[in-house]
Amino acid sequence: MDLLKQIVARAQSDKQRIVLPEAEEERTLKAADRALQDGLADIILIGNPENIRKEAEEWGLKNIDKATIVDPKNNPRCEEYAEKLAELRKKKGMTIEQARKLVTEDNLYLGCMIIKTEGADGQISGALSTTGETLRPALQIIKCAPGISCVSGAMLLLTHEKAMGNDGVIVMGDVAVTPNPTADQLAQTAHSVAGMTEPYIAMLSYSTKGSAKDAINKETGKSVYVIDKVKDAVSIAHEKYPELHVDGELQADAALVPAVATKKAPGSSVAGKANVLVVPNLEVGNIGYKLVQRLGGAVAIGPILQGIARPVNDLSRGCSVDDIYYMVAITACQAQDAKKA
């Protein structure tokens, strides 16, 4: 059974309640219909019920009536959610009027309030929204998981190179959240994304084991580039998370190709068999996964957000129906794990 089939089967085995706040968007509604048909999750759609049912009929969707539809403009729990949100954000100066506006006009905030009040287990958006718009209510309402101060976004890449990763499956992070992470944040990213697989984590750079050196800023005495930061991140990860297989700094070929690893990083427990790639900054991550996806023909699922107390996941605005469907399954599996934590 391949990885996606395993994820789907696991989601089906213990159905979770997943919110889709962009329910009037065509790809989202089609993915919801398929998820309901397959028993993937209990789906909560946020949107105008009349519009949703009209679109479902227009697109020949037969399962939307199985979903729970929440109308943000006619929601009997509106005041409850507004009061709770105002209380959560009162130190930031939020008024009850501002909270009412958010839970009636911003579906992403409403979805997070449904999760916060234990009416749902996870949320997915991004077909219409930016990563910032997806993250903001999640961090304000649901907040980070205990012991985590850095949220990251991982991309699941299903490539055709079966000899690499886990039968061609690679996890790459951070591709979505922190533009220029510190060494500690890189270590946290390694720890967060490790839960997605049996991890062999490569901390990537343009150097392998000292093959290049960072330039030093003479005024500050600090390195100009990223090699030293990556080395520090590896040391922090070894100290904080000794159970992890993590090594670096490694170039991408040394991380993935055994023959290259033998030459560049002999003796490494990770080089040549990495299945998790932690990149040094967001620029590298975002460009890298999109090149692998568009030029290499990989299936890219995510960004799968890590570090939030309950799963709230992002989508690329270029996502497909398949992407959303599988993200429902992944979010359901994350929700199962969050309940066990």
Side-chain angles (χ1 to χ4, degrees), residues 181-188 203 228-234 236:
T182 65
D184 185 68
Q185 288 172 326
L186 284 178
Q188 286 191 52
M203 308 292 272
D228 289 345
K229 180 174 73 171
V230 172
K231 289 178 180 177
D232 290 344
V234 173
I236 292 168

Side-chain angles (χ1 to χ4, degrees), residues 12-339:
Q12 291 169 327
S13 73
D14 181 14
K15 287 202 294 183
Q16 303 293 300
R17 301 163 298 173
I18 305 301
V19 181
L20 300 177
E22 299 167 329
E24 296 178 51
E25 194 274 332
E26 182 176 355
R27 294 162 296 172
T28 300
L29 200 58
K30 288 180 176 179
D33 184 76
R34 182 177 165 193
L36 290 162
Q37 174 182 291
D38 294 349
L40 198 60
D42 293 323
I43 300 295
I44 300 170
L45 301 173
I46 300 180
N48 182 290
E50 183 178 344
N51 290 347
I52 289 171
R53 293 189 178 104
K54 181 180 177 181
E55 289 167 351
E57 183 177 356
E58 178 184 343
W59 297 325
L61 308 180
K62 306 297 186 183
N63 300 283
I64 294 302
D65 285 343
K66 298 176 185 177
T68 298
I69 300 177
V70 177
D71 183 354
K73 302 295 186 184
N74 186 27
N75 180 8
R77 299 189 68 180
C78 169
E79 194 63 18
E80 174 193 347
Y81 293 151
E83 289 176 358
K84 179 72 172 176
L85 177 56
E87 176 66 21
L88 286 169
R89 302 293 294 165
K90 67 180 181 181
K91 290 183 179 179
K92 298 296 183 180
M94 183 175 287
T95 65
I96 186 66
E97 291 79 13
Q98 291 170 327
R100 285 194 193 103
K101 183 177 176 68
L102 285 172
V103 299
T104 56
E105 297 183 11
D106 191 318
N107 292 358
L108 279 65
Y109 272 86
L110 175 55
C112 285
M113 286 308 304
I114 295 172
I115 296 171
K116 186 69 174 180
T117 55
E118 300 186 356
D121 304 304
Q123 175 166 289
I124 304 163
S125 60
L128 297 174
S129 309
T130 66
T131 297
E133 289 165 342
T134 293
L135 269 174
R136 194 171 300 112
L139 293 176
Q140 290 179 2
I141 295 167
I142 301 171
K143 304 187 185 300
C144 289
I148 298 295
S149 61
C150 173
V151 173
S152 60
M155 191 63 65
L156 189 64
L157 297 171
L158 283 66
T159 79
H160 303 291
E161 298 297 328
K162 299 298 185 182
M164 297 182 190
N166 284 341
D167 195 31
V169 178
I170 302 289
V171 179
M172 180 185 288
D174 176 15
V175 302
V177 182
T178 305
N180 190 24
T182 65
D184 185 68
Q185 288 172 326
L186 284 178
Q188 286 191 52
T189 296
H191 181 253
S192 295
V193 300
M196 297 175 61
T197 184
E198 184 71 29
Y200 285 86
I201 306 164
M203 308 292 272
L204 296 188
S205 179
Y206 62 89
S207 169
T208 295
K209 299 295 185 179
S211 65
K213 302 290 184 184
D214 275 345
I216 301 298
N217 185 311
K218 294 181 179 179
E219 293 182 2
T220 65
K222 295 181 179 180
S223 61
V224 176
Y225 302 117
V226 299
I227 299 173
D228 289 345
K229 180 174 73 171
V230 172
K231 289 178 180 177
D232 290 344
V234 173
S235 297
I236 292 168
H238 286 161
E239 180 179 349
K240 287 189 173 182
Y241 317 113
E243 74 282 4
L244 294 183
H245 295 287
V246 56
D247 198 12
E249 83 282 12
L250 295 170
Q251 292 163 294
D253 57 352
L256 294 169
V257 183
V260 177
T262 300
K263 295 177 181 177
K264 291 188 175 183
S268 171
S269 63
V270 170
K273 57 182 179 182
N275 52 24
V276 176
L277 307 178
V278 176
V279 297
N281 57 49
L282 185 56
E283 192 169 38
V284 174
N286 190 272
I287 293 170
Y289 96 75
K290 288 180 178 176
L291 287 174
V292 173
Q293 178 187 29
R294 300 300 180 180
L295 297 180
V299 175
I301 299 174
I304 303 163
L305 299 180
Q306 307 288 319
I308 303 172
R310 287 293 182 268
V312 175
N313 277 321
D314 192 20
L315 296 161
S316 167
R317 278 170 286 175
C319 64
S320 67
V321 172
D322 277 356
D323 294 338
I324 302 171
Y325 174 85
Y326 288 118
M327 188 63 88
V328 170
I330 289 168
T331 305
C333 292
Q334 286 180 296
Q336 293 169 8
D337 292 338
K339 290 179 178 180

